[in-house]
Amino acid sequence: MKELSKSEVKREALIKATISLVINNGFHATSMSKIAKTAGISPGTIYLYYENKQDLINKVYLHVKENFTTYVFKGYHESVPVEKGFKIIWHQIADFRLKFVEEALFLSHCDNTPIIDEESRKEGIKHIQPLLALWEKGQELGIIKKACPYILYAYTVYPMAFLTNAQQRDEYHLTEENRALAYQMSWDSIKINTNK
Amino acid sequence: MKELSKSEVKREALIKATISLVINNGFHATSMSKIAKTAGISPGTIYLYYENKQDLINKVYLHVKENFTTYVFKGYHESVPVEKGFKIIWHQIADFRLKFVEEALFLSHCDNTPIIDEESRKEGIKHIQPLLALWEKGQELGIIKKACPYILYAYTVYPMAFLTNAQQRDEYHLTEENRALAYQMSWDSIKINTNK
DNA sequence: AGTAAATAAATGAACGTTCATTCATTTATT
DNA sequence: AATAAATGAATGAACGTTCATTTATTTACT
């Protein structure tokens, strides 16, 4: 196990506190004092590591996005067949969302509200590049519908956010069965129907 | 044309201002003074019609949701066949989102952030009842996959929000062709494949 | 190894600003 | 003349941020 220094522990607590408070109350309703108190540090300490509140949210966003990307492309390589590759990535996204619920909600929140600077949002989008490349390959091979990445994303990755959000609110439970069904629907929506 | 009294005009301006400012800056970053100024009224006047800021956002949300529902179920009746009914509703949702861009963004924003009171959010969900009934009928007839409403919604209605948001940010253009494609993907994901 | 000096990290009270809300007053309508 | 609608300056609470001060860690020297 990697040993974390005391300040690294506090740093992690700060990030966790930011994520948790922002998803539950929204960015502007979350005060720096509340973040500090939740993290067990002083408000002033935050300003040793982050320029201001906006800088804090931008950096936390990119940090979480990086963790996300590392997780979902783990073990994936361009060489695997398109359908298999898609299945691996899709399921790892689902795993991430279920394992790191708050982090996942935080990413949805940032991607769907104007709290993140445009620059940081664009930076975050670049991270899913391997998935875009996979789709392109699939399209060249006639396996995947010739839709632009936005449409493909809207029907495969985006719906998961909705389901996890609902689960978070206890309105719905994402069982193994539901998960398999959701994957099938993702795939059905983007694959080319070979039989009439 | 229906004539609106002067105060009704101001009332509409207030709602429009709230919607526009909230989707562009977020709820908590939008001050009552700014809303008032944008609507061309005094901050105090808002309190004649709404108890407080929270009451304002809740009521505006339900107001827009009602407009949305009226629009998307216009001309639809339970008696039409499942596939046709779905097509009508889906396309009217798309029409609404393209015609009333800010209202649609506002609804997504409220549905995906914690700014609306839980009570009002639950109230808003009830409005899509006819669509849920249509799905149920489709499932009984063996036309639509036996997935819970959350999953069906995630793969048909929810993706549209993503596409309209992207269009709003000028990252993507929802042409007629893209729209037809998106509809096909919605349908492909929820229909039962009759041929192996 | 032990201690003092130097540096770094962390604190939290204080500051100026902004906000939601109020209400005495003005303007419009009946 | 009486009532209703609208105003906007005033208020106090809460905010992000600062910085003089305290606490912890590292370095230098014996």
Side-chain angles (χ1 to χ4, degrees):
Chain A
M1 276 286 127
K2 209 201 284 168
E3 286 284 322
L4 289 177
S5 76
K6 206 149 68 179
S7 80
E8 280 171 319
V9 169
K10 297 245 158 171
R11 199 75 180 273
E12 270 303 315
L14 174 57
I15 292 171
K16 263 227 138 53
T18 305
I19 292 169
S20 181
L21 288 167
V22 166
I23 61 174
N24 288 306
N25 310 307
F27 176 55
H28 291 285
T30 300
S31 70
M32 293 297 263
S33 318
K34 215 181 280 172
I35 295 173
K37 190 178 257 181
T38 307
I41 60 175
S42 157
T45 309
I46 302 177
Y47 291 85
L48 296 176
Y49 301 109
Y50 303 96
E51 279 178 50
N52 47 44
K53 200 184 177 188
Q54 187 64 53
D55 185 49
L56 168 67
I57 193 91
N58 287 341
K59 294 216 169 110
V60 169
Y61 170 74
L62 288 177
H63 174 83
V64 176
K65 196 84 173 192
E66 245 176 72
N67 288 353
F68 172 77
T69 318
T70 304
Y71 193 97
V72 303
F73 293 123
K74 188 181 46 181
Y76 163 75
H77 192 269
E78 294 180 25
S79 59
V80 303
V82 171
E83 185 169 356
K84 177 128 187 249
F86 178 72
K87 195 167 193 170
I88 290 172
I89 296 170
W90 193 95
H91 275 101
Q92 282 180 351
I93 292 175
D95 285 345
F96 181 91
R97 295 200 69 97
L98 292 171
K99 208 164 167 182
F100 306 102
V101 176
E102 297 214 314
E103 280 83 351
L105 286 172
F106 181 74
L107 289 182
S108 310
H109 190 93
C110 291
D111 287 330
N112 288 292
T113 59
I115 65 177
I116 294 292
D117 281 349
E118 199 51 32
E119 201 188 336
S120 296
R121 248 202 53 253
K122 292 229 164 104
E123 180 71 28
I125 289 174
K126 287 188 203 155
H127 283 269
I128 54 155
Q129 187 51 44
L131 181 58
L132 305 185
L134 176 72
W135 282 336
E136 225 170 290
K137 187 174 143 200
Q139 288 172 332
E140 280 164 16
L141 293 172
I143 301 169
I144 287 178
K145 287 178 190 162
K146 285 243 160 68
C148 65
Y150 279 99
I151 294 190
L152 297 175
Y153 190 89
Y155 281 91
T156 55
V157 179
Y158 200 64
M160 288 193 230
F162 180 78
L163 298 176
T164 327
N165 283 21
Q167 162 150 310
Q168 172 74 357
R169 288 193 301 262
D170 291 325
E171 293 168 3
Y172 158 76
H173 185 56
L174 198 59
T175 57
E176 261 308 316
E177 195 192 344
N178 281 341
R179 219 179 112 154
L181 192 50
Y183 171 72
Q184 196 55 51
M185 289 171 68
S186 285
W187 181 246
D188 281 352
S189 66
I190 66 165
K191 77 149 193 277
I192 287 178
N193 274 311
T194 43
N195 7 37
K196 259 285 166 59
Chain B
M1 275 286 126
K2 209 200 287 167
E3 286 285 322
L4 289 177
S5 76
K6 207 149 66 176
S7 80
E8 280 172 319
V9 169
K10 297 245 158 173
R11 200 76 181 270
E12 270 304 314
L14 174 57
I15 292 171
K16 263 229 137 53
T18 306
I19 292 169
S20 180
L21 288 167
V22 166
I23 61 173
N24 288 306
N25 310 307
F27 176 55
H28 291 287
T30 300
S31 71
M32 293 296 264
S33 318
K34 214 181 281 174
I35 294 174
K37 190 180 256 180
T38 306
I41 60 174
S42 156
T45 308
I46 301 177
Y47 291 85
L48 296 176
Y49 302 108
Y50 302 96
E51 278 178 50
N52 48 43
K53 200 184 175 187
Q54 186 64 55
D55 185 49
L56 168 66
I57 193 91
N58 287 341
K59 292 212 170 116
V60 169
Y61 169 74
L62 288 176
H63 174 83
V64 176
K65 197 85 173 189
E66 246 177 72
N67 287 352
F68 171 78
T69 318
T70 305
Y71 192 98
V72 304
F73 293 123
K74 188 182 46 183
Y76 163 76
H77 193 268
E78 294 180 26
S79 58
V80 302
V82 172
E83 185 169 357
K84 177 127 188 246
F86 178 72
K87 195 167 193 170
I88 290 172
I89 295 169
W90 193 96
H91 274 101
Q92 282 180 351
I93 293 175
D95 284 344
F96 181 90
R97 294 199 69 96
L98 292 170
K99 207 164 168 180
F100 306 102
V101 176
E102 298 214 314
E103 281 83 351
L105 286 172
F106 181 74
L107 289 182
S108 310
H109 190 92
C110 293
D111 288 330
N112 289 293
T113 58
I115 64 177
I116 295 291
D117 280 350
E118 199 52 31
E119 202 189 335
S120 296
R121 250 202 50 253
K122 290 225 165 107
E123 180 70 29
I125 288 174
K126 287 188 202 152
H127 282 270
I128 55 156
Q129 188 51 45
L131 181 58
L132 304 186
L134 176 71
W135 282 335
E136 225 169 290
K137 187 174 142 199
Q139 287 173 332
E140 281 163 16
L141 294 171
I143 301 170
I144 287 178
K145 287 178 189 162
K146 286 245 161 65
C148 65
Y150 278 99
I151 294 190
L152 297 175
Y153 189 90
Y155 281 91
T156 55
V157 179
Y158 200 64
M160 289 193 229
F162 180 77
L163 298 176
T164 327
N165 284 20
Q167 161 150 312
Q168 171 74 357
R169 289 193 302 262
D170 292 326
E171 291 168 3
Y172 158 77
H173 185 57
L174 198 59
T175 57
E176 261 308 316
E177 197 192 342
N178 280 341
R179 218 179 112 154
L181 192 50
Y183 171 72
Q184 196 55 51
M185 289 170 70
S186 284
W187 181 246
D188 280 352
S189 66
I190 66 165
K191 77 149 191 281
I192 287 178
N193 274 310
T194 42
N195 7 40
K196 261 284 167 61

